[in-house]
Amino acid sequence: MGGNGRFWAVWGGMAAGAVVVGGAAYRPLPPVTAHYRPDIHTEYVKFPSGRDTITAYLAYPERKDPAPVVVVIHEIFGMSDFIRQTTEQLAKDGFVAIAPDLLSRRGGTPPSPDDARKLIAGLDPDTVTKDLDATVAYVKRIKAARGDRVGVIGFCWGGGQSFRYATNNPSLGAFVVCYGPGPDALSIARIRAKGLGVYAENDARINAGLADVDAAIRTYHKSYRYTVYPGVGHGFLRAREKPEVADSAWKAVVGFFRESLEH
C-alpha cells in the first residue's frame, strides 16, 4: 500500500435541487438517460429484481476488450453525486462499474438525505442481497463486461453491505470495505473472495470491531488486508479533508481490483 497509512495485512488461502450534507451534494435520481464523455460512457439502466424494478447508474470504460466489473454500494444517504462520481472514476480506471439504487423499491433515493437514511435503516438485509444479486445478474449479461470477474465496493453503510455480500455470493472475485462494519465470525467463514479494507484513524465506532474481524479472518484463513489511514475520519474518501490520504487510499483500491480481477 502506498501513502502514509498504517498497514495490517491478513493473508490466507452542486446542481439545482441538490442538498448539501457534509460538503457533498446529494440529489434525487434523475430520469433514465445516456451521457457520453471522451473517455467513458454512462447511463441509467433498469432491471428486474423479483416483482420490482431496480434503477442503477452504469459506466463503461473506453477499452477494446471486455472489462472486469465492480458493483458500487452507496452510503446510507442513498444514490448521491459522490456515488455517481465514484462509478465514473472506476470506469476511467478501466472497469465496468454499476451502482444500484437500493431504495428503488421505495420509489428511489429521496431528495432529503435524512429521509434516505430513515428508509435505508428499514431495509431488509435479505432484500438488499436479492437486489445485489439482480445487479450482478444484469451486468453479467453485458457483452462489454467480464461476467466471470466481478468485485464489489461499498462506503459507510455500503461498506458493511459489501462485507456482508461477500459472505453471501461465493462467485465474487474481490470485495472492498470502506469504513463499514464487519459481519459475524461464522458469516466470515463463508467468504471466498479476496478482500481489502479502508478505514480511518478517527473512526472509533467502526474501528472497535476490527479486532473481531481480524480474529475471524485468521481463524478461517481468509484473505483480507486492511489499512487504517492516519489523520482522517469516517467518510474521508467523500469528505477529502486530506486529499493526499484519500488519493492514496483510492490508488490502493484500484490496484487491488486490478490485481484481483484483471488476472
Side-chain angles (χ1 to χ4, degrees), residues 14 20 34 59 84 130-131 171 186 207 209:
M14 276 318 246
V20 178
R84 282 183 282 264
K130 181 187 295 185
D131 292 344
S171 72
L186 290 179
N207 295 349

Side-chain angles (χ1 to χ4, degrees), residues 216-231:
I217 291 294
R218 291 180 183 275
T219 296
Y220 295 108
H221 307 289
K222 302 302 176 179
S223 176
Y224 186 68
R225 69 189 195 226
Y226 62 87
T227 300
V228 178
Y229 287 87

